[in-house]
Amino acid sequence: MALSDDYRPVDGATSVDGATPAGLPPDARRSSDNRSSDNREPVDLVVTAATVLTVDDVDTVLDDAAVAVRDGVITHVGQRSQVLAEVDAAERVDLPGHLLMPGLVNAHTHMAMTMFRGFTDDLDLHAFLGRIVPAEAAMLDASTVDIGTRAAAIESLCGGVTTALDMYFFPDAALAAAHAAGLRLLTGPVMTDDPGIRALGPDALVDDPDRWLAAHPRRAGWRPVIGPHAIYTVGRDGLAHAGELRATHDAVLHTHAAETVAEVQGSHDAHGMGPVEWLDHLGLLTPATVLAHGVHLTDHEIELLSDTGSSVAHCPASNLKLGCGVARVPDLLAAGVNVAIGTDGAATSNDLDMFMAIRLTALLHKGIGGDPTVVPAHRVLRMATIDGARALGMADQLGSLEVGKAADVVAIDLDRPHLQPVFDPMATVVYSAGRGDVTDVWVGGQRVVRDRQPTRLDAREVTAALAALEPRVSGTLDH
Ligand SMILES: [Zn+2]
């Protein structure tokens, strides 16, 4: 079923048919070499480009290549002439001078916090929370979360992000907004003991997370999320309950961990162990666990993450801006921990720019460690795509341009002075390209960005609605 027909907010992107994800055998790209033109395989879409970064297991790069799509799923990736000989496409898009790559996976964000962009700058985390939590209590409802998430979805898609792992209140409103834009948003009930947030009513935190998760089951292209905010905002019983809900509903468990020195100290004071050890103690570390930040980790905690198959969402922009420190990414990678990349919310990183996060990831650890060979470009690109998909437990469906996977495709215009010459296209994307170079984006085979403009929402209308929230947000400082 085409994504346009079945892109319900409940499901996120649902174009990948779980029963027959590819609709084709894996070797379909080679199965029709001798077909006549009458015998070509019907597909919905073929996109041709100068270069395709597949981000497959061996980082295959194809020149003069094409990607074909049927029912939202990639059916062919290969040389342009060969793919065109094999398919009969209902729509053909030629992007000469462009590079195609998998859609970026933003592994940690708070979408609707776009409404607080610039409201909390140059504050430490404690002061940040002191300002943001009352503002959230005053501002948030289904309507403002809708506006904030629509803006975030447009910003994300136009910046090459096709999948985002969200943690925010009013998840039904967020899902509907992301659906309207065409973004693959994984979200779900958030848990926090904060009284201001709890006072927002049953829809903010989801009255009955168990029922919500049951009503939004895992399926192809989507997975529900349970989001206990952090060990310092959710008590032992709440965390244990989150672990139970995660297991019952095969959800992603998404939480903040080891972000600041103060959090680590607080964990030792309260529990006699570090935050990651505490999460492990409660049985919350699993292959479906995504820990945002992971800045202050001991060797033992890195070992625990590796042993349990947990993922870390590295958020360098947010960590730098809040002065939290720099995560031990080279050590995490060396220990075999799956490291994805996130932007965090726009209140702490001021944008949802994954190209910025990619660049920082590639540069920061070289400078900190005095070793330019660590975290190389190809590794960073994997972190932002396939490893993000792996963090969500969806590496079989997302994160690379391979036959049988969802057609989440980003086109970058390489024909620009700041991107030429291209010796290694992966390095060009990491070290030279920015989100302004993204021209077209498909999610599940649907073109959600065309010539740098969102196709499903009116960017001007959404921008105006977001800007109009500013006086209300500012007004929260008076109370
Ligand atoms: Zn966060």
Side-chain angles (χ1 to χ4, degrees):
M1 182 176 287
L3 187 61
S4 54
D5 298 323
D6 188 21
Y7 204 141
R8 291 167 293 179
V10 166
D11 305 320
T14 56
S15 62
V16 182
D17 180 353
T20 52
L24 286 170
D27 60 348
R29 75 186 97 173
R30 293 185 298 274
S31 66
S32 54
D33 289 352
N34 299 319
R35 288 183 186 180
S36 69
S37 59
D38 296 330
N39 202 20
R40 289 180 302 166
E41 185 178 319
V43 297
D44 301 323
L45 169 70
V46 65
V47 185
T48 72
T51 304
V52 173
L53 301 187
T54 64
V55 196
D56 64 7
D57 286 345
V58 291
D59 288 335
T60 301
V61 176
L62 300 166
D63 291 326
D64 197 18
V67 175
V69 179
R70 189 176 62 218
D71 295 338
V73 176
I74 295 171
T75 58
H76 300 68
V77 181
Q79 294 301 317
R80 187 171 69 106
S81 57
Q82 185 176 351
V83 172
L84 292 179
E86 292 179 6
V87 304
D88 178 14
E91 181 190 10
R92 175 171 163 178
V93 177
D94 292 316
L95 296 172
H98 283 64
L99 171 151
L100 302 182
M101 59 179 277
L104 300 171
V105 178
N106 186 346
H108 176 66
T109 188
H110 312 280
M111 296 286 279
M113 291 188 89
T114 49
M115 76 181 83
F116 302 115
R117 191 194 317 269
F119 179 61
T120 53
D121 294 340
D122 305 333
L123 301 173
D124 68 22
L125 184 62
H126 182 73
F128 163 79
L129 290 172
R131 184 179 284 199
I132 203 76
V133 172
E136 287 179 318
M139 285 298 301
L140 298 184
D141 56 34
S143 165
T144 54
V145 168
D146 174 68
I147 292 167
T149 307
R150 281 174 187 253
I154 291 175
E155 180 181 354
S156 298
L157 289 168
C158 291
V161 173
T162 53
T163 298
L165 178 61
D166 188 35
M167 179 196 289
Y168 214 54
F169 316 111
F170 298 93
D172 291 307
L175 270 181
H179 157 67
L183 179 75
R184 197 184 295 280
L185 186 70
L186 271 64
T187 192
V190 176
M191 299 166 74
T192 174
D193 296 337
D194 182 88
I197 299 299
R198 299 193 72 83
L200 288 171
D203 292 343
L205 287 172
V206 179
D207 212 10
D208 186 344
D210 188 44
R211 197 172 64 185
W212 195 97
L213 292 164
H216 301 73
R218 181 175 187 170
R219 53 175 295 166
W222 200 76
R223 193 173 184 188
V225 182
I226 182 75
H229 173 264
I231 63 160
Y232 56 89
T233 47
V234 184
R236 179 192 193 119
D237 291 348
L239 290 171
H241 186 46
E244 288 162 15
L245 289 170
R246 196 223 66 73
T248 302
H249 300 286
D250 195 16
V252 174
L253 189 136
H254 182 200
T255 190
H256 297 95
E259 183 176 4
T260 64
V261 171
E263 176 194 337
V264 172
Q265 189 56 53
S267 178
H268 279 282
D269 292 346
H271 313 299
M273 59 185 84
V276 170
E277 290 168 328
W278 179 236
L279 291 169
D280 181 58
H281 180 74
L282 297 174
L284 263 57
L285 298 186
T286 75
T289 300
V290 181
L291 303 182
H293 306 303
V295 175
H296 300 283
L297 301 173
T298 63
D299 289 347
H300 179 237
E301 288 179 312
I302 290 177
E303 209 175 289
L304 287 173
L305 294 174
S306 176
D307 290 349
T308 56
S310 304
S311 293
V312 169
H314 178 42
C315 303
S318 174
N319 298 155
L320 287 172
K321 184 154 179 281
L322 287 172
C324 293
V326 176
R328 297 172 58 188
V329 168
D331 295 335
L332 286 162
L333 294 174
V337 177
N338 185 54
V339 182
I341 298 176
T343 61
D344 211 349
T348 54
S349 67
N350 293 50
D351 61 33
L352 308 175
D353 185 350
M354 276 292 285
F355 281 85
M356 167 74 87
I358 285 170
R359 187 87 61 89
L360 284 172
T361 300
L363 297 179
L364 197 51
H365 307 288
K366 296 173 170 67
I368 294 289
D371 180 357
T373 67
V374 299
V375 200
H378 71 94
R379 196 73 201 73
V380 180
L381 203 59
R382 295 188 71 81
M383 291 163 72
T385 54
I386 188 67
D387 294 343
R390 186 169 292 116
L392 304 174
M394 298 172 68
D396 59 332
Q397 300 171 42
L398 309 174
S400 62
L401 300 184
E402 295 180 88
V403 172
K405 288 201 173 181
D408 293 2
V409 183
V410 169
I412 289 175
D413 182 6
L414 291 177
D415 197 10
R416 311 195 71 193
H418 65 279
L419 298 181
Q420 292 292 336
V422 177
F423 298 101
D424 171 357
M426 298 187 92
T428 298
V429 169
V430 170
Y431 291 122
S432 305
R435 60 179 176 176
D437 299 316
V438 172
T439 61
D440 296 83
V441 178
W442 288 262
V443 174
Q446 297 294 302
R447 199 176 193 172
V448 293
V449 176
R450 180 195 298 265
D451 297 335
R452 295 189 169 84
Q453 291 300 317
T455 61
R456 296 185 169 198
L457 295 179
D458 183 331
R460 285 182 180 217
E461 198 176 286
V462 173
T463 305
L466 185 68
L469 294 178
E470 185 271 329
R472 286 177 57 192
V473 175
S474 292
T476 65
L477 288 174
D478 301 333
H479 298 294

